[in-house]
Structures are given as C-alpha cells and as structure tokens.
Amino acid sequence: MPFKPLQNKHVILGVTGGIAAYKSAMLTSQLVRAGATVDVILTEAAQRFITPLTFQALTHRRVYTDIFYLPPNESAPHVALASEADLLIIAPATANTIAKITNGLSDNLLIAIAIATDAPVLIAPAMETHMWQHPATQINITTLNKWGINVIGPATGRLASGVIGEGRMTEPDEIFDTACHILSKHGDMAGKRVLVTAGGTREDIDPVRYLTNHSTGRMGYAVAKAARNRGAYVTLISTAFCPTLAGVKLIPVTSAYEMNKEVLENLMHVDALIMAAAVADYRPEHVSSHKIKKEASLFMLALERTEDILQGIYNQRHVAKWPKCVVGFAAESEHLQENALAKIKKKGLDFIVANDITRHDSGFATDTNKVMIIGADGTIADLPTMTKTEVAHIIWDVVFAK
Ligand code: CTP
C-alpha cells in the first residue's frame, strides 16, 4: 500500500475574501479525494464570494465562520482545530489576512487558528498587483518566510480588475501538490536521495528541426512524484515538457549530451537512479547553423552515436560508490523479455522495467502501463495493466526492498 501523504490527515482550509475563493472549492474536493479530513473556515469577506454550503457539500462537515460559536460540551473551535490540524492552508489569502497574521491581530477564527497552531502553514496570496508589490505586503511576506511559513505564488495572469499582472492565486493543482510535499516528510522513503530522468531527448538538425521520439515524460514524472510523496529528496532531469513539481529539484535539458552531463553531475550520494527517459541513440553528425533548404529529391543525414548514459555509469560503477541502485527502462516492440534481459547484463542494471510499446494501453503517451520488472538475479514480476502512478510506486517498493 503506497504512502499517501494526505490520507487520514486533518487539513484546515481557510478561505478569505477574494474572487479566487471559488477555486478553493476545487482544492477542497482534491484534498477530500486524497483521503484528508477537511475543515473549512470562511472569513466574513469570503462569504460574499462563496457560501458555506458549497464546502459543507464537498466535505460533509460543518463549515466554520464565527469565532464566537461555541458548541455545547466542546472546546472553542480555534483551540480544537489549531491543535488537531496536520496542515493549515489559507487560499486565497488577501493582503488584509496576511497583514493580520504577521501582526498577531486575531480578530477572526481563521487568524486565531493561524496564530494558535503548531501545524505547518501554507499560504496562497491573491490580490491586485499594486497591493502585492506594496512594501507593507512585501515586508509581511518576508516575515512569513522568516517564520518558516510556506508561501506559494502568487502567479502572473488575469486579475479580477481585468488587468494582467502578478497577484493571481496559484492554481489549486499546484497548491494541492505543495500540500502533498509538506505532508510527505515522514514517508517510507524519507532520507533517501533519488535521481530520475524523464522524457524524450531532442537532437538538433538545424535551427528549425530536430530528431526526437514519442516519449511524453509521463512515466518519469510519475516516478519522481511517487518518490516525493514518500518523503525522498528527488532530482528530476527532464526534457521539453517540464512542469515544476513542488519539492522536486528540476533540471531541464534538451539533448542526450546535456542529459548525460547532468546525470553524471548529480550522481553523488544518490541511493537510486531511475532512467525513465527515452534517450536518443543517434544525433546529426553536424548541426547546420542555417535552415537546410530543400534541393535534391533524396536527402541523406549523417548520424553519430550519442553517449549511452547507463553504459557510462556501469563502466565507472566499480570505482564510484553511487548510485547504490540503477534501474533502466526497456521499451520494446518485440522479444520483450529477451531484449530486457540482455540490457540488464550489458548495462549492469539492478532492475529493468520492460514494456511492450505495441500495446494500446502501454508505452508512450498513455496513462497506463503494462510492465515486467526484471531483477539482475533473474526474478520477474509480470504486472497487470495499471496507472503509471501505480507502476511508479511498485518500482520504488522493489528498489528499496533490496
Ligand atoms: N539509455 C541511456 N543512454 C542512451 C540510450 C538509452 O542511458 N543513449 C537508457 C534509457 O534511459 C533506458 C535504457 O538505457 O533506461 C534502455 O534504453 P533503450 O532505448 O530501450 O535501449 P538502448 O540501449 O538504446 O538499445 P536499443 O535502442 O538498441 O534497444
């Protein structure tokens, strides 16, 4: 059963008065689906934008709005919620609420909890650009950072005024991802350092064209995210499609040459390397600095071999201590098991994850994968079709069961 950072966690979500309050409903839904118990607090201003009923329907729990509400035989909500919380999220957080927290002005339930709790706090500011850039707000944000409070965003985009600028609340997906990261610290991979590669490399032909493959990076991202959610320090070296992942060190690269360089530079102290990237085996011998014009009816492009990253690591593994475990992928269209076993031997791998790319439910650009995980000792786990996230967790189970 993979570690789920939000499962059975008590999250307090504070919503303050901004137009982004409607997005807090989406965030609530995500938190509930991830297994968290979510108690929502709406400030008076927030209730001008969204009603308690919305959140009650999503959480199946009472929504708090009043600091003076004291249920019979229960302690004051700000005391109980503050001590029970595993995480307090304030999204959206207005300039007003941020200022009150940094000045200890607890004149509503949300701020009273923010000041009373020992739980980690995650704040997603949302306001007009001038308010965000005002020295008062900036000093308050510096104070929050100094206190170890997590501040996410704001993003740049269309604001309530219609103007494009800095001040838009970070999207719920990203806030959710950051919440997972904050609560993952005690996962079963805490203290492990892992290096993951993702995506297909690109090899330039000229300023317009390049050679690449069908890899989207989904499998590598799933592997990185699963490790992050189980508490590991994760470095992700990824190509082209490169969204950031909270708590993951992302190194964007383009070509096999760059990927090789970054992998070698980041190997020190790594417990496991998972090479999920589809690395080009060949690149153009010469990259034209100008766009190549069409002339003859037949065009020949001379290609040279790229660096084989795993082969290079194998060649130096007898002298280097790291990585302790190396996992390769084998995307095959025929003789799956035979080819995968040959790659384990040739590249000195501890495990190989082999998949048959001719299947419609496996391989590139799908959300699922049908893989075999083969160990250097010949053990074979032939897994059924499952999501890439599920495959990712099984890979980590296998790697750290070693
Ligand atoms: N790989 C690598 N460096 C390369 C090519 C591949 O490190 N230049 C890694 C991939 O990331 C993968 C494993 O080697 O983890 C197997 O990749 P694959 O493309 O299946 O095999 P190749 O070794 O390239 O052999 P072939 O293309 O002939 O099947």
Side-chain angles (χ1 to χ4, degrees):
M1 190 58 180
F3 178 80
K4 292 187 176 159
L6 282 155
Q7 186 84 51
N8 301 325
K9 289 289 179 337
H10 191 169
V11 178
I12 314 285
L13 174 63
V15 182
T16 73
I19 186 62
Y22 79 94
K23 291 189 183 172
S24 307
M26 295 186 235
L27 177 60
T28 305
S29 163
Q30 266 181 297
L31 294 167
V32 170
R33 277 185 282 135
T37 299
V38 185
D39 278 319
V40 178
I41 301 167
L42 297 185
T43 62
E44 213 174 305
Q47 292 170 69
R48 306 266 185 131
F49 291 90
I50 194 158
T51 70
L53 186 64
T54 308
F55 295 98
Q56 201 178 328
L58 290 166
T59 61
H60 302 150
R61 293 173 70 82
R62 173 206 301 162
V63 171
Y64 297 84
T65 53
D66 183 2
I67 192 167
F68 298 113
Y69 173 73
L70 190 58
N73 308 322
E74 281 183 38
S75 50
H78 74 279
V79 178
L81 291 174
S83 65
E84 286 163 16
D86 292 302
L87 174 67
L88 168 64
I89 304 176
I90 307 182
T94 57
N96 182 48
T97 290
I98 290 169
K100 283 181 175 173
I101 293 173
T102 53
N103 286 284
L105 293 174
S106 50
D107 66 352
N108 69 35
L109 179 60
L110 174 59
I111 299 164
I113 291 170
I115 290 168
T117 192
D118 286 332
V121 179
L122 171 60
I123 290 187
M127 63 199 75
E128 284 298 314
T129 306
H130 288 107
M131 294 174 79
W132 170 250
Q133 289 173 347
H134 192 281
T137 307
Q138 287 305 307
I139 287 170
N140 291 335
I141 295 295
T142 307
T143 304
L144 293 179
N145 287 329
K146 232 191 285 171
W147 290 347
I149 289 178
N150 305 276
V151 178
I152 180 168
T156 297
R158 194 181 160 82
L159 304 172
S161 59
V163 169
I164 308 286
E166 200 183 6
R168 200 178 145 89
M169 188 178 88
T170 299
E171 290 304 317
D173 277 355
E174 215 181 308
I175 300 174
F176 174 80
D177 199 41
T178 305
C180 288
H181 168 53
I182 293 171
L183 290 175
S184 68
K185 305 233 158 81
H186 303 293
D188 62 350
M189 284 172 62
K192 303 282 187 207
R193 287 182 180 275
V194 301
L195 181 60
V196 181
T197 64
T201 57
R202 284 182 182 180
E203 309 301 329
D204 282 347
I205 297 171
D206 69 10
V208 182
R209 301 143 177 133
Y210 54 78
L211 297 174
T212 190
N213 55 62
H214 289 295
S215 172
T216 58
R218 273 185 229 185
M219 192 62 238
Y221 262 74
V223 170
K225 204 168 178 171
R228 191 281 313 269
N229 283 352
R230 291 166 71 159
Y233 295 104
V234 185
T235 302
L236 174 63
I237 301 174
S238 179
T239 61
F241 167 72
C242 255
T244 54
L245 276 179
V248 169
K249 181 179 169 196
L250 179 69
I251 303 177
V253 295
T254 307
S255 61
Y257 173 83
E258 286 175 24
M259 183 168 280
N260 184 48
K261 184 170 163 286
E262 291 298 342
V263 168
L264 296 180
E265 276 177 18
N266 286 279
L267 272 189
M268 201 135 84
H269 302 295
V270 160
D271 292 297
L273 163 68
I274 313 282
M275 279 293 297
V279 187
D281 290 326
Y282 291 92
R283 68 181 149 234
E285 196 178 7
H286 300 290
V287 180
S288 170
S289 53
H290 297 289
K291 185 182 171 198
I292 300 169
K293 292 292 179 191
K294 61 174 174 296
E295 282 164 9
S297 57
L298 184 66
F299 178 73
M300 303 284 280
L301 185 64
L303 302 176
E304 64 178 16
R305 285 284 297 271
T306 57
E307 301 69 21
D308 190 314
I309 304 172
L310 284 178
Q311 196 69 59
I313 292 170
Y314 181 38
N315 296 344
Q316 64 172 42
R317 232 176 139 191
H318 58 284
V319 279
K321 277 199 244 154
W322 300 288
K324 290 185 191 146
C325 179
V326 179
V327 180
F329 270 68
E332 306 290 344
S333 58
E334 55 181 357
H335 313 303
L336 182 63
Q337 200 167 319
E338 197 183 314
N339 284 338
L341 281 165
K343 278 177 194 173
I344 284 205
K345 268 219 174 88
K346 191 162 158 253
K347 302 197 183 203
L349 306 174
D350 295 282
F351 298 98
I352 198 153
V353 183
N355 63 348
D356 176 353
I357 51 163
T358 60
R359 292 173 63 106
H360 71 282
D361 58 355
S362 190
F364 303 126
T366 59
D367 288 325
T368 53
N369 231 351
K370 161 87 188 77
V371 305
M372 265 183 205
I373 302 181
I374 305 175
D377 59 1
T379 50
I380 298 178
D382 191 1
L383 304 176
T385 302
M386 55 179 73
T387 66
K388 287 185 173 172
T389 300
E390 288 166 332
V391 172
H393 279 290
I394 294 177
I395 293 171
W396 289 124
D397 290 345
V398 166
V399 164
F400 288 111
K402 214 184 143 207

